[in-house]
Amino acid sequence: MSVAKTSGFGTQRSRSLVISKPASSQRACGADPVVLLTGFGPFPGVERNASAELALTLAQMAAERHLDVRFVADVLPVDWRHAPLRICDLVSQHRPAVSLHFGVSTRATGFAIEAYAYNATRLMPDENGHTAGSIDLVSGDRQRRSATLPVRRIVRDLRTAGLPAELSSDPGRYLCNAVLYHSLRQATRTQPRRRAGFIHIPATLESGVDGERSLISWPEAIVGGLRLVDTSLMPLRVRQGVLS
Ligand code: PCA
């Protein structure tokens, strides 16, 4: 069944996709909750970033299961200056009820659900060869922010489905950490009840990347990603009654 109308633009480096339903099935108030899914483009050592394709694919597939939700997918540049600006823009523009950010990690063998983001950077060049301008992301701001997704429940659900998943308290200090930090910070300023979190998947989902062998295949990444969307929306349905 195809219910979604998609509009998008871009390349592997930076892509954007908004999925909306046909006018006939849209509610009059147009207040459908938004789920924002992001992945990343390439960066040194990772020529093709699996998280980009995962975010775009999940948005299209999830839109067919959740007819009362609008899905927005975006591929963020691995760029110290532009990624934070882009994420703040997306959150302000779409005011998502749920934000699921994806990235790859050579340390992850399954789904690594990040519990925290840190106000810190690492001296590692981005895809344009630039390093972060300072040792913290936002000078004088909180040192640590907690993901607002139901992280423990997500890990449990994924494991129940037979998928390898773990709770992680170390998202690194590169762009994935930076995006989660800015997403959480921007949400508390504009929409405190929003849920946001970060999921690392194995870099080896894409061929040509060195590192640990992935314990999940591409089809399993999709199955797990769809479960992640379902679980992230579930508490909202119960707590806020914003859906259905
Ligand atoms: N992984 C990097 C940045 C982009 C990505 O997919 C990280 O773990 O920070």
Side-chain angles (χ1 to χ4, degrees), residues 40-41 43 46 49 51 78 102-105 171 173-177 198 200:
F40 276 103
F43 61 102
V46 175
N49 193 323
S51 67
V78 181
F102 292 89
V104 298
S105 161
R173 301 292 184 273
Y174 193 41
L175 265 303
C176 291
N177 172 66
F198 200 101
H200 268 118

Side-chain angles (χ1 to χ4, degrees), residues 30-45:
D32 286 348
V34 172
V35 171
L36 171 66
L37 299 164
T38 70
F40 276 103
F43 61 102

